[in-house]
Amino acid sequence: MMSIKKLLKKVRDGYIIKQVDKLELPVFKESRLIREYVVFSGKVQNVGFRREVYLLAAKLGLTGWVRNTEQGSVEAEIQGEELRVRFLINFMSSLRRAKVDKVESKILDLKIEETGFEIIR
């Protein structure tokens, strides 16, 4: 039998998958490739934040990684066309399920060999 906590996580994850699937992306103009290190602070853990970053990054064709920090924030390295990276950061900052109080970021060197996006546990 599944615990209540696991059941709630499964329901939440199903909701997130549906939300990202039905999201209509804007038409992006071509833009330069960038890699950005981002820290989202606020109520961003235990709300499916990492999974949503992961799913949205995949939908946008971005590469990189996302993980929780011990300080309670979520950090990520996101690489791809600048307008798509900006869209992801802005979208995640405006989520109602989470409460992003602060976003810090800095531009990094590209990792050309990188091919996917992953959640680091």
Side-chain angles (χ1 to χ4, degrees):
M1 190 162 140
M2 194 179 298
S3 73
I4 296 288
K5 188 175 180 179
K6 282 187 179 175
L7 180 63
L8 290 174
K9 184 179 184 318
K10 187 175 180 177
V11 169
R12 181 197 67 207
D13 288 352
Y15 171 80
I16 292 167
I17 290 166
K18 280 185 195 161
Q19 291 300 104
V20 173
D21 280 349
K22 75 178 188 181
L23 177 65
E24 288 195 34
L25 297 177
V27 175
F28 294 99
K29 291 181 181 173
E30 223 176 282
S31 55
R32 69 188 177 111
L33 288 181
I34 64 165
R35 182 176 192 86
E36 196 158 345
Y37 172 75
V38 187
V39 178
F40 298 94
S41 301
K43 176 74 174 114
V44 292
Q45 290 191 10
N46 301 310
V47 294
F49 198 88
R50 287 176 304 157
R51 176 164 304 279
E52 194 148 355
V53 168
Y54 170 80
L55 292 169
L56 186 54
K59 187 168 185 162
L60 289 163
L62 303 173
T63 63
W65 54 263
V66 61
R67 69 178 168 209
N68 286 339
T69 70
E70 289 181 10
Q71 295 75 32
S73 58
V74 171
E75 66 180 352
E77 285 189 16
I78 307 163
Q79 179 171 292
E81 289 188 15
E82 183 174 18
L83 294 176
R84 292 172 181 266
V85 172
R86 294 275 167 262
F87 178 86
L88 184 143
I89 293 168
N90 291 335
F91 182 87
M92 295 308 298
S93 298
S94 68
L95 276 186
R96 290 192 182 125
R97 272 181 307 97
K99 179 160 180 359
V100 176
D101 296 327
K102 187 165 133 188
V103 178
E104 297 172 271
S105 67
K106 66 179 178 185
I107 299 295
L108 303 173
D109 291 337
L110 295 174
K111 291 187 178 175
I112 301 301
E113 72 285 352
E114 189 173 65
T115 57
F117 200 95
E118 65 180 319
I119 297 174
I120 300 174
R121 303 223 185 269

